[in-house]
Amino acid sequence: MRVLQIGCEDWSQSCGVPDGVEWCFVDAGDASGFDVDIIGAIDVTILDALCDLDNLVAVDALITPYTLVLARHLEAAFDGTYKEFFARKAVVYEDMDDRQRLVDDLPRKYFAGQFGQKLDIRKALVSPFHTSRWWFEGNSYLSTDIDHDEGFRQLIMWKENIPYDGDHVLELWPEYVKDAGCEIEFGVQLIQSGTSEVIAFQKRYSEAELAEPIVFSPPTSGYLSCSVFAKGTGLVRVGPIHYRHSRLGAGQFLPGGQRIVDSGREELFYYFHPGNLLPPLNIYFAGYRPAEGFEGYFMMAGLGHPFLLVTDPRLEGGRFYIGSEELEARMAKVIRERIEALGFREEDVIFSGLSMGSFGALYYGSQFKAHAIIAGKPIVDLGYVAERGRLVRPNDFFTIFDIVNFWKREGRGGNSATVEGFTQDLLARWHGNPGFGDTKILLSYMLQDDYDDQAYYALLHSQTGKPTTVIARGYQGRHNDDSASIVTWFHNQYRRVIDEYRRARDGDSRG
């Protein structure tokens, strides 16, 4: 990685620079040093001295949000003229009394790329000493009853291990839910590389410690063997183990990435990029992705405006952004807070997504007075997708059955709701008054879609007689055919909608 330090004294002359880190020092008072061609690409910038705004603007293109680290004691010294620049860069304030510690942490916080995977619950084994009945709930949980209070007993262990590189800090998040009468512990053993006999580290984590992700950072590389221990009386449901590269508080997946979680330990992640701080705010929901992390960063950054990336790490590749009322309310709150912090209106927001992401865009977009919703390969009726799986798409996309079979939602009056009823509630909401209101809905869909071939028609029918504008383009093929044309259409429509929005806004401001 490459570090740019802007200051009065070159830290690399007094601090030990970690292996693999290239250090670039620029004198804060020498304008000639702020040459982007000479500096080159960088991963993080340290600013530990006062510096003219013109000099910082000269290297604007090199600094991505959340990677400009400013000495905390200088916060008040930079006057209001720096406010807009620091807001666009989402500046991070750090104490710099211990320079060596800060330098040592740089490659562990600001490394390139993102990584996240999970250990599937289907790869777990029940302890032979656990004699109670147990069963799989699809790919969501391994469930079992327990009835013993005389200390913790091993309940489950995974037959596959988690690779661990001592150069990266790892973050672990096991999914589980349990009855109040049960208590669990999560066990981790680090087996040193090159041998199956040397256990370099082992620990059991209590429920109190599991309230936050486990940050695992021993220096020894190897493999992590994981187990669940339990005691008490009641039902325990154990899900997959998520493991990700930690940035030690600098962000989830990307610098600045954030996490929301509900009381059932289900997660969603979001990343806000300030862009040019001018409307519209563009919100992109990632499609189905087994690898955990954000999607669409460079496409959205290329639009220039503020954007919000949302990703769903649950099940194999996502649970379509739906979940408990608690989780959904927190996601909607994040969107509202971003709109308010930017000083925008709901009408200054564009929701978007492809495939699974299209469901997220339509579902959350319908809760706001959005300017537009742009969706590629839309999926609307989850029950219908599951129903078609038997004959149209056999032995494929089992996640939809996990969603439908273990649907957890209360309908009107607190009664249990079915996924079919949920779809009807969605359509009723879109049929209602005002429905989507003045929101523009732009769709590209596959004419022979083998997931939801009625999505476009259901959306179009729901807006008949409404003020909503629906623009659509159909392509020959099934759901996963000709993705290149869908993505090209998606990107072109995004630019067109933004251009029209800006022209209308500029016209209003002139009037």
Side-chain angles (χ1 to χ4, degrees), residues 281 335-336 339 344-351 361-373 433-440 468 501:
L281 168 63
I335 296 171
R336 289 193 173 90
I339 295 172
F344 295 176
R345 307 165 302 160
E346 290 187 14
E347 291 85 352
D348 298 321
V349 181
I350 299 173
F351 288 80
L362 290 162
Y363 183 58
Y364 287 94
S366 67
Q367 301 174 39
F368 294 81
K369 301 173 184 177
H371 176 73
I373 299 173
N433 188 17
F436 282 104
D438 293 328
T439 298
K440 298 179 179 67
T468 309
Y501 168 88

Side-chain angles (χ1 to χ4, degrees), residues 130 132 144-153 178-184 207 229-236:
H130 179 71
S132 297
T144 185
D145 296 304
I146 63 169
D147 187 11
H148 58 83
D149 292 312
E150 62 282 6
F152 286 96
R153 298 180 187 173
K178 63 182 185 62
D179 288 346
C182 306
E183 188 177 349
I184 76 156
E207 288 182 18
F229 298 80
K231 71 175 182 178
T233 303
L235 176 66
V236 175

